[in-house]
Amino acid sequence: MQYKQAFDLIAGKVEEELTRSGYARQKVTTENENELVALFTGENMAYSVVYILERQQMVLRSCPMTDEGPDNQWKVLATWLYDEETSSQKDAESIANDFIEGVSGTIAIKRAKQMKQKKKKNDDGNADPKFLAKRFVTYFPELKDEIREEEDCYYPFRGATFAREHLAPKIAAFVQSAKGRELEKFASVFDTQYANGDADTRAIITVVLLNSLEDSEFTKLCDVLNEDTQMAALAARKYKGKEVKPEKPQNKTVSKARNLLNSAN
């Protein structure tokens, strides 16, 4: 049985099972001609079925969902060899049954519950500075090569240095020209990453990235941040130009950034 037919059979059966649990199959495109990919997303989890041609492998993977979609930190749940010259439809059905167990069995249910509980927590997240940098590739495609170069030359990833040298200048230029919905969408990246980020990531967002902006740029962006991110940004603004340890935002109500900035001047 040809590998494309086998992939369609397996992905179809997985889709049928996941649909019962509220998952939806998404349209995906891959730049890698040696891979076939089917993506299924739910409220807290994402699954993907992948066929890697050069390895002749069918793979089932999972990762948590964020507000922007799968976080792409994939965990391999199962791997099967599928050689179209020797494998049959029976083999494909066996793989499909195993993958179905992987997305619907006791362990899968427990995994989904854990992700749901984790998403509801209000404490620090676990998204690191490198993950933060990758979230901006959509806006600044050249970051993809810059991140790869950083990974090749330095270990561990220099989150604050990379943000200061590569992200901050791009963000300032973007904020200067962005308006309306475009700016609001850009601000949502900061909101999501601040909510999901670890202590280092939160400090980079406030102390490095937002504090790198001039007052007019800072006010413009801060006005469209959500309340939590805005409150942290304003608390960190007084440390602009100083090196400080990450600090949790003060527990106070913030309305609009412009009013608070003006009152502080």
Side-chain angles (χ1 to χ4, degrees):
M1 188 177 190
Q2 292 183 347
Y3 72 87
K4 289 185 178 180
Q5 293 176 310
F7 175 83
D8 289 340
L9 184 151
I10 295 166
K13 288 184 176 293
V14 171
E15 178 181 6
E16 183 179 348
E17 181 64 33
L18 285 174
T19 299
R20 297 191 184 103
S21 301
Y23 286 77
R25 185 167 182 170
Q26 306 296 333
K27 293 182 179 180
V28 294
T29 57
T30 176
E31 297 178 357
N32 191 342
E33 297 180 353
N34 292 317
E35 287 187 356
L36 298 176
V37 180
L39 173 65
F40 310 93
T41 59
E43 181 181 0
N44 306 302
M45 290 288 299
Y47 290 97
S48 67
V49 176
V50 184
Y51 182 73
I52 305 172
L53 182 58
E54 60 183 1
R55 299 179 187 173
Q56 297 181 323
Q57 290 179 339
M58 292 282 183
V59 181
L60 175 66
R61 309 179 303 182
S62 70
C63 76
M65 286 288 289
T66 71
D67 292 339
E68 298 174 338
D71 74 357
N72 290 323
Q73 304 296 309
W74 294 102
K75 178 181 179 182
V76 175
L77 303 178
T79 302
W80 284 71
L81 180 67
Y82 190 88
D83 181 352
E84 66 178 4
E85 294 185 1
T86 58
S87 300
S88 63
Q89 180 172 340
K90 184 177 180 180
D91 295 316
E93 290 175 347
S94 295
I95 296 172
N97 290 334
D98 183 66
F99 284 8
I100 288 172
E101 176 63 24
V103 302
S104 64
T106 303
I107 295 177
I109 295 173
K110 183 178 179 180
R111 184 190 307 125
K113 287 183 178 179
Q114 288 175 339
M115 287 298 105
K116 186 174 183 178
Q117 292 169 355
K118 184 176 181 181
K119 195 169 184 180
K120 285 183 177 180
K121 287 183 179 180
N122 292 321
D123 55 357
D124 287 347
N126 60 359
D128 61 18
K130 181 164 67 174
F131 184 80
L132 170 67
K134 290 181 177 180
R135 295 311 93 192
F136 288 96
V137 170
T138 301
Y139 291 92
F140 315 116
E142 65 273 19
L143 276 176
K144 189 173 183 180
D145 292 333
E146 293 170 359
I147 292 171
R148 185 181 298 113
E149 183 178 351
E150 176 73 19
E151 291 175 321
D152 290 343
C153 296
Y154 299 97
Y155 181 84
F157 188 86
R158 302 176 305 163
T161 300
F162 185 87
R164 187 180 301 109
E165 295 179 356
H166 297 280
L167 275 175
K170 296 178 177 64
I171 288 171
F174 185 90
V175 172
Q176 287 175 7
S177 61
K179 297 179 181 178
R181 179 58 183 159
E182 182 183 34
L183 183 63
E184 292 175 3
K185 189 175 180 180
F186 189 64
S188 71
V189 178
F190 290 86
D191 292 334
T192 300
Q193 297 313 308
Y194 186 82
N196 297 332
D198 58 20
D200 288 339
T201 298
R202 291 183 171 192
I204 288 171
I205 289 173
T206 55
V207 178
V208 179
L209 296 180
L210 295 179
N211 273 1
S212 71
L213 299 173
E214 297 297 331
D215 284 348
S216 60
E217 299 161 356
F218 176 83
T219 299
K220 182 179 179 181
L221 178 58
C222 202
D223 268 348
V224 291
L225 295 173
N226 69 24
E227 186 172 332
D228 288 341
T229 315
Q230 187 184 91
M231 180 168 58
L234 290 166
R237 191 66 176 176
K238 61 185 176 182
Y239 298 111
K240 179 176 169 60
K242 302 177 183 179
E243 293 208 8
V244 294
K245 294 181 180 180
E247 180 182 76
K248 291 186 178 181
Q250 299 176 3
N251 187 20
K252 63 180 182 180
T253 303
V254 176
S255 54
K256 284 293 182 178
R258 181 175 290 106
N259 295 334
L260 289 180
L261 279 175
N262 290 339
S263 65
N265 291 334

